[in-house]
Amino acid sequence: MILEEKLAAQIPAWRERVKNLLESSESVVVDQVTIGQVYSGMRNIKSLVTDISYVDPVEGIRLRGYTIDETLARLPCLPGAKMPLVSGLFYLLLIGEMPTLEQAQAVEQEWSARYRVPEHVFNVLRQMPSSAPAMTMFSQAILAMQTDSAFTRMYNEVLQKEDYWRPTLEDSLTMTANLPIIAAFIYNLKHKEGKVPVPDKSLDWSANFAHMMDVHDPLYPDLCRLYFIIHSDHESGNASAHATHLIGSTLSDVFYAVSGGMNALAGPLHGRANQESLSWLLHVYEQHGRVPSVDELRKFAWETLDAGQVIPGYGHAVLRKTDPRFTVQLEFGRAYFPEDPIFKLASMVYDVVPDVLREQGKAKNPWPNVDAISGSLQHHFGVQDCDAHGGCGFYTVLFGVSRALGVTANAVWARALNQPLERPKSLTTAMLEAAARK
Ligand code: CMX
């Protein structure tokens, strides 16, 4: 298998590199922690390591050193496609090199050879109440797939520590191959007759998802490719990545770990913001019966803030400028459906809301993140977030399908480098008060 061979060739040198760094510099200080940081969700404490991506507050994410624009420009595309293959992105995340079209297609084949969701997973989903949030179903489905974990099976037999990454890679491929099928099934259960999607192995992973969703607009596979690439990874400290890493550090397999990570993604301050953002847009649109004027939009934004709510899709814990993942989606909409009213509204919000947030003066970053616009693009293609208002979270499932690529790539490397059990230390308030008196 191409990924296993490439990883096996790299891992010894990486182990040596980390070992040398630790031997020569174990006690070098990289950060200091203030009481403020202890009480503010560990913001900006440098205590994790990943070589897969890095978020600069101003520039945004770099995936294996490539900005979003560079990633999209350099990853291989199928002839006639507007957006690159997601398999190429997964190769890039795992291997750290830009793949050729042939290498990306080899990953496509690894995926399509694994298209098989065990029947009991569909049954678990069928048994859930129709009101179950889509993310609850998605997380359950991933957990239900744990019964097939190669890692846990081999760990229970005999597995050397140095080989932990191999079945982790196997599980990661099995999981990521099947997540589009699970997502399309959840959508079908929620909106249609609940049929099990039949994958088409002649299509790439994203086009196959579009096919299973029954969206026939020829542009939709390209939106899926774009969407699944840009949501994949955002370094290790974000809640879904960190939760996945924490769980994986106990040697729980990736099914356990990613299921847990998805529960973090489901929160409104994280991945659920894409659903809430679309609800917000639809709300303002319906209230006015049209795209509102700038003044009406500003008033609506203030009403949201005055009600003590956040404006979903705006602000970020790390970023301090417009998220390039927002910009690339804005460009996609402008290029292909600039007149779509909800897309137009989402672009208008970008002109209005940063000033409102600045005027309010609370948010450290008044600019949009990835979630401010992604829902409006899905909405254009008729993909619903369940009941539109309040929603039940299908858009976050789409985020999760993509995020699984990043967190599994990280899980493979965490096992390759034998990253240890994560166990930070807590203090009592009295201890912090004593530290403050010193
Ligand atoms: N609307 C209104 N108020 C906002 C805001 C927004 N979009 N973003 C931040 N604020 C407020 C915070 O709620 C906080 O208020 P309090 O002091 O009353 O608690 C204050 O501004 C300071 O917050 P911050 O330091 O700027 O932001 P945090 O690092 O604490 O939180 C985030 C970051 C993303 C949770 C926050 O900006 C937010 O709630 N945004 C809206 C939800 C959202 O878009 N989440 C998706 C993020 C991307 C992702 O993970 O998918």
Side-chain angles (χ1 to χ4, degrees):
M1 186 216 295
I2 183 169
L3 294 170
E4 191 169 5
E5 280 167 24
K6 287 266 175 187
L7 284 164
Q10 287 187 16
I11 287 170
W14 272 98
R15 285 180 176 159
E16 198 55 25
R17 190 171 163 185
V18 175
K19 186 169 154 259
N20 289 343
L21 183 62
L22 280 171
E23 276 174 8
S24 65
S25 316
E26 196 177 11
S27 55
V28 170
V29 175
V30 289
D31 209 352
Q32 286 182 330
V33 180
T34 65
I35 289 181
Q37 286 173 305
V38 171
Y39 277 103
S40 61
M42 298 188 276
R43 282 301 179 286
N44 205 26
I45 298 176
K46 295 166 193 71
S47 54
L48 296 166
V49 58
T50 177
D51 292 283
I52 292 181
S53 67
Y54 179 77
V55 180
D56 178 87
V58 173
E59 184 188 56
I61 183 75
R62 277 185 183 260
L63 300 163
R64 288 293 193 172
Y66 296 99
T67 63
I68 286 290
D69 284 345
E70 289 164 356
T71 304
L72 293 172
R74 296 188 57 173
L75 281 174
C77 271
L78 288 175
K82 295 177 176 60
M83 289 290 159
L85 287 166
V86 177
S87 49
L89 180 268
F90 196 44
Y91 181 104
L92 174 68
L93 296 182
L94 273 164
I95 309 302
E97 295 161 9
M98 201 48 84
T100 61
L101 178 58
E102 212 179 16
Q103 288 167 327
Q105 281 175 320
V107 177
E108 290 289 341
Q109 278 159 21
E110 291 295 340
W111 271 337
S112 61
R114 288 173 174 78
Y115 287 165
R116 195 193 75 81
V117 177
E119 192 53 31
H120 74 267
V121 177
F122 294 126
N123 286 334
V124 165
L125 295 179
R126 285 190 191 103
Q127 291 307 312
M128 296 182 79
S130 60
S131 59
M135 275 305 275
T136 308
M137 300 173 83
F138 190 57
S139 165
Q140 285 280 3
I142 295 171
L143 194 57
M145 285 185 78
Q146 190 281 333
T147 52
D148 282 8
S149 167
F151 178 88
T152 295
R153 188 183 65 250
M154 290 171 73
Y155 187 87
N156 289 342
E157 290 161 8
V158 67
L159 185 60
Q160 300 299 318
K161 208 171 179 178
E162 69 205 42
D163 289 330
Y164 284 174
W165 67 271
R166 291 180 192 272
T168 303
L169 175 65
E170 179 59 34
D171 283 350
S172 298
L173 283 164
T174 303
M175 180 195 305
T176 51
N178 288 300
L179 291 184
I181 305 177
I182 290 172
F185 180 63
I186 292 172
Y187 192 74
N188 211 283
L189 266 181
K190 292 272 177 209
H191 289 287
K192 300 180 186 173
E193 67 279 17
K195 71 171 191 224
V196 172
V198 181
D200 179 345
K201 290 192 177 186
S202 70
L203 299 172
D204 65 279
W205 189 78
S206 308
N208 179 47
F209 176 69
H211 150 77
M212 293 185 295
M213 290 289 287
D214 277 331
V215 178
H216 301 295
D217 187 319
L219 190 58
Y220 191 58
D222 280 308
L223 177 67
C224 292
R225 294 181 187 115
L226 173 67
Y227 188 103
F228 292 141
I229 287 172
I230 63 175
H231 288 81
S232 60
D233 207 38
H234 217 229
E235 68 173 40
S236 292
N238 69 80
S240 51
H242 191 194
T244 306
H245 176 73
L246 169 66
I247 298 169
S249 83
T250 70
L251 298 187
S252 278
D253 59 56
V254 291
F255 297 98
Y256 282 122
V258 175
S259 175
M262 291 303 140
N263 298 337
L265 191 69
L269 298 187
H270 193 10
R272 188 179 147 156
N274 62 7
Q275 153 196 348
E276 304 221 325
S277 175
L278 184 76
S279 296
W280 196 85
L281 295 173
L282 291 178
H283 199 150
V284 64
Y285 187 80
E286 280 168 18
Q287 196 177 81
H288 295 89
R290 57 178 161 74
V291 176
S293 68
V294 165
D295 284 345
E296 286 166 336
L297 186 54
R298 190 178 295 115
K299 183 166 173 281
F300 191 87
W302 270 112
E303 279 166 12
T304 304
L305 296 179
D306 291 342
Q309 291 160 5
V310 295
I311 298 182
Y314 282 75
H316 200 271
V318 177
L319 294 174
R320 291 297 174 257
K321 284 280 179 203
T322 298
D323 187 338
R325 303 171 301 169
F326 170 89
T327 309
V328 79
Q329 295 181 91
L330 184 70
E331 285 164 359
F332 189 91
R334 279 185 179 155
Y336 300 114
F337 39 86
E339 293 311 318
D340 179 295
I342 300 303
F343 169 74
K344 254 175 127 165
L345 177 56
S347 341
M348 220 175 126
V349 173
Y350 183 34
D351 294 331
V352 169
V353 160
D355 280 346
V356 170
L357 285 173
R358 265 195 299 242
E359 207 179 319
Q360 192 208 28
K362 275 169 73 174
K364 290 190 190 69
N365 173 34
W367 301 107
N369 61 61
V370 68
D371 298 319
I373 199 163
S374 57
S376 71
L377 304 188
Q378 294 294 331
H379 185 264
H380 172 78
F381 291 95
V383 176
Q384 302 167 47
D385 187 58
C386 298
D387 62 0
H389 292 298
C392 76
F394 186 71
Y395 289 176
T396 316
V397 170
L398 295 178
F399 194 154
V401 170
S402 171
R403 183 48 55 95
L405 301 167
V407 297
T408 54
N410 272 286
V412 171
W413 274 100
R415 295 287 65 77
L417 300 176
N418 287 318
Q419 288 185 352
L421 177 73
E422 197 175 275
R423 207 319 187 173
K425 183 82 189 80
S426 51
L427 299 169
T428 65
T429 310
M431 288 171 185
L432 290 170
E433 284 166 343
R437 282 192 294 272
K438 274 190 194 152

